[in-house]
Amino acid sequence: MQSLSRYAPYTLGLLRIFTALTFISHGTQKLLGFPAPPSWGMPAAMSLPWIAGVLEIVGGTLVLVGFLTRPAAFVLSGLMAVAYWMAHGSKGFYPLLNGGEAAMLFSFIFLYIATAGPGAFAIESRKG
């Protein structure tokens, strides 16, 4: 299994890319109604959901391309921790039952990326 460690930068890069793509879609839903508008309606400008949508698109894009990855991932980890406690934590202890699984996973994946770095395929990893 030790020989698999040589692939760690590539799997980290893939984790970063696919997490960011998924995350960006939450922002585009809130702000652009794509791929479908939110069930609760489009958020008002400058409201908390609107600000979250901006952070999801801008921060998600930074993480996606691997530019300013660590600070962007750290901010997004905090955003998802706050979202978990504001929207889900009050509905019960278990994430499966309170609907907070995605927020919890995003929070910890972004925390990992903030500490591990962007991995392969990142703008800031390019030499030149």
Side-chain angles (χ1 to χ4, degrees), residues 8-14 16 69 113 116-125:
Y10 304 105
T11 55
L12 175 57
L14 290 173
R16 174 182 51 80
T69 307
I113 292 169
F121 319 117
I123 288 175
E124 60 193 51
S125 296

Side-chain angles (χ1 to χ4, degrees), residues 73-121:
F74 184 76
V75 168
L76 297 180
S77 175
L79 172 68
M80 287 294 94
V82 169
Y84 178 83
W85 290 110
M86 286 182 73
H88 304 287
S90 62
K91 295 178 185 173
F93 179 74
Y94 299 103
L96 178 65
L97 302 178
N98 69 24
E101 293 167 294
M104 181 187 291
L105 283 170
F106 277 126
S107 182
F108 281 97
I109 291 170
F110 284 129
L111 183 60
Y112 174 69
I113 292 169
T115 59
F121 319 117

Side-chain angles (χ1 to χ4, degrees), residues 39-81:
S39 60
W40 61 86
M42 302 296 286
M46 304 309 286
S47 65
L48 283 177
W50 187 88
I51 292 168
V54 170
L55 287 171
E56 288 163 355
I57 292 173
V58 174
T61 301
L62 288 171
V63 171
L64 173 66
V65 300
F67 182 70
L68 299 173
T69 307
R70 288 178 190 257
F74 184 76
V75 168
L76 297 180
S77 175
L79 172 68
M80 287 294 94

